[in-house]
Every structure is written in structure tokens, then in C-alpha cells.
Amino acid sequence: MLSALAAPARGNGIASLVADRSGNVYFSDYIRNRIWKVVPDGALSVWVRGKHTHHLVIDDNGVLYGEQVPPGGGTPELWEVTPEGRVNDIFRAARKGHSVTYRGTVFAIDRSGTLLYLRDCQIAKLSPDGQLSSWAGQRCAGDVWKNDILRYGHLHGSLAWGPDGSLYFSDARSVRRVAPDGRVTTLAGRPVSLFADPQSGEARFDRAVGLVVDSERKILVADSRDRAVKRVEPDGRTITVARLPFFWSPIGLGLSGDTLYVVANLRVPTPDFLAGVVGNPSVFALTRDGKISTLATVRGKR
């Protein structure tokens, strides 16, 4: 089942996509510092301006959350936009004296309003009243990539809630599940830093980035270097569900009903100035019968 432009910021080829219950699709464009909205009929419009964002989250009420990475460096902040389009800046990590804890990694928000994000190789929880705790993983120490227990990667992928309350995440070359009690299971691949060479046996995913989980707990992953969307089977095997057209690399995934949405970047190396000319990114729609169609494309100057 497939149940006003800010100054350019430092490059990072990670974008994300989310879809609401009405079939509206939102995706990040870190080159133009915008969040785009695509309505079900395919019309494309700018939803949020001036935010350099790699990661997006949407809650059950349709509130969209994203990050703002300062162009010249500094502490990343979070923002939210209501379904009516009102944008509010929020810096949840500043509560109760925790002034520098969220550092611009993937994040998730649970139904209680708790923020979950990567912090020193752990998944940390910051509650609405400012209580900070570690939920899963162990603190980084030394060369963590030589330690099988500590190798959590940079979580430079996605976090996604499953219907059973578990949190699933992609971590470069692995996909993992964190149970409600914090126990961690590696479902496919073996963990390794996104920035390190693969070790022996770590080749199931070349670069696992976007991730969604449907109502039947089927896990779909964007493998950006393989141009493919893959499904993770219970035994850890991966099955290719779809492969994007040549030159396009899937980055983020979103699910609405039986349609899977994929935001993709040009697969060839594309400097920011060139992407502004030729256009980037694009959104593809994948239906249950396996058909792929182009939903929207951000056009360049030419």
C-alpha cells in the first residue's frame, strides 16, 4: 500500500516535504529561502518567505513547523505557520535556560507539543514546559563511528511517527525504530555517519534521507543516490517501489491518502546560482498503481 527572498545561505542538499489531510503539499526550497505550497489541482504558490529551511513537520491540526538557519551562521531557530498562513517565530530551545540545544537537525513534534530532535548522538525531548531529557541513544564521546552503540549518525534524514506511537528515522545508511519506551531497533542497513565511508556490510542504503510510515506500518524511504523510493520489509530487505526520472534525486517524502509525494533535487551537482537559473526542486506524485507524475516544478530564470 502506498497508503521576499532572503540572502543566500550556506548550501546543504536536504529538502523535505509534508502533506496535510486535504492533500495540500508543502516543501522546502533552501536555495530561494521559501516554503512552497501545492494544492490538489497542482497550483503552486509561495507559502512562507525568508526561511532557510531543510526540515518540515506538520501536526494533526495542520500547523506547519520549520527551521530558520541564519545565513551567516548562528543558532538555528524554529518557526510555525497556521493553516491560515500566519507565521510565528518560536525558539522552544530557549525555555527554562536551555538557550542552545536545538542546533539545526531533523526534528519531530508529538501530540503533547514536545519537541524531539538530535542532540549529541541522542534523541532529546524538550517538553512545552521546558523540561529537557534524553529519550534514546547514548551521548557521543570520541570517534563515535567506531562504536556500534554510539553510531547514531547525524540524523540528516527524517523522523516519522508510526501508527503505534513509535518514531522511525532514517540515518544515512540505516532505518531505525524507537519504541515508545525508548528501545531502538535497526530495521534495515547498518548505521554509519553520512560523512564517513561505508564500513563492511553497510551497503543496503546508499543515502537514506526522506521517510514516511503509512497506516499499516509500511516504511517508505527515499534513497537519494539510487534515485529510488524503497520499502523496508519486516525482515530488513528493501524493495524498490519506484525510481525517479534520470537526473532527479528523491530527498523528502510525504503521504496523503494513497498518494506518495516526493520532493527531488537535480542529481547532478548544482551550485546555488545555477539552480536559480535552471530551476530546482520538483515534486512528483506516486499513486498506488505505480504511476509517477510531475506535480510541480520550481522554475528558474531560464
Side-chain angles (χ1 to χ4, degrees):
M1 173 182 179
L2 291 176
S3 317
L5 198 59
R10 59 184 181 272
N12 186 323
I14 300 295
S16 63
L17 176 150
V18 293
D20 63 21
R21 294 176 177 176
S22 300
N24 298 307
V25 174
Y26 307 86
F27 64 98
S28 59
D29 181 351
Y30 55 85
I31 293 173
R32 296 166 182 80
N33 297 337
R34 295 177 175 180
I35 308 301
W36 298 88
K37 177 180 179 179
V38 188
V39 296
D41 66 2
L44 177 68
S45 63
V46 178
W47 189 238
V48 178
R49 297 176 183 270
K51 301 296 185 184
H52 185 74
T53 299
H54 297 295
H55 305 293
L56 296 173
V57 169
I58 194 165
D59 67 15
D60 290 342
N61 298 316
V63 178
L64 183 67
Y65 298 85
E67 64 182 350
Q68 161 63 3
V69 181
T75 303
E77 300 187 0
L78 300 178
W79 51 265
E80 63 182 6
V81 56
T82 66
E84 297 76 31
R86 294 192 305 272
V87 180
N88 304 304
D89 290 323
I90 57 175
F91 192 22
R92 305 168 63 96
R95 298 183 180 186
K96 296 286 186 178
H98 299 298
S99 58
V100 184
T101 51
Y102 174 75
R103 296 174 184 148
T105 67
V106 290
F107 64 93
I109 296 174
D110 68 14
R111 292 183 177 179
S112 72
T114 294
L115 175 70
L116 299 96
Y117 60 100
L118 177 69
R119 178 177 180 265
D120 299 331
C121 294
Q122 298 174 313
I123 296 180
K125 300 176 75 170
L126 184 63
S127 65
D129 63 359
Q131 298 301 311
L132 182 67
S133 61
S134 296
W135 183 37
Q138 299 187 38
R139 189 115 184 217
C140 296
D143 191 352
V144 299
W145 314 122
K146 294 181 180 178
N147 187 316
D148 287 336
I149 297 176
L150 295 177
R151 288 162 58 200
Y152 267 72
H154 288 62
L155 286 190
H156 218 34
S158 291
L159 295 168
W161 292 106
D164 60 346
S166 295
L167 187 64
Y168 295 80
F169 65 87
S170 56
D171 179 10
R173 294 181 177 88
S174 67
V175 174
R176 301 190 186 196
R177 171 181 176 267
V178 184
D181 62 4
R183 290 180 296 110
V184 181
T185 304
T186 298
L187 303 178
R190 291 188 177 184
V192 67
S193 167
L194 181 63
F195 310 107
D197 292 332
Q199 298 183 22
S200 177
E202 296 179 335
R204 288 191 180 180
F205 284 109
D206 195 2
R207 185 174 179 182
V209 188
L211 172 124
V212 291
V213 184
D214 69 13
S215 59
E216 297 180 356
R217 292 178 59 181
K218 288 187 172 65
I219 305 164
L220 299 168
V221 181
D223 192 336
S224 65
R225 286 183 182 160
D226 200 23
R227 276 185 27 243
V229 176
K230 299 178 179 179
R231 185 175 69 241
V232 180
E233 298 295 288
D235 61 2
R237 294 180 300 113
T238 57
I239 295 176
T240 297
V241 175
R243 199 174 299 277
L244 293 192
F246 197 64
F247 292 132
W248 288 103
S249 183
I251 303 296
L253 303 179
L255 193 62
S256 180
D258 288 336
T259 302
L260 179 70
Y261 298 98
V262 184
V263 60
N265 288 340
L266 289 172
R267 193 171 181 227
V268 295
T270 310
D272 289 357
F273 75 90
L274 181 58
V277 173
V278 301
N280 189 31
S282 284
V283 175
F284 298 90
L286 175 63
T287 57
R288 182 197 289 263
D289 57 9
K291 293 181 179 179
I292 300 178
S293 58
T294 303
L295 183 66
T297 296
V298 177
R299 301 295 181 185
K301 297 178 181 178
R302 296 183 180 176

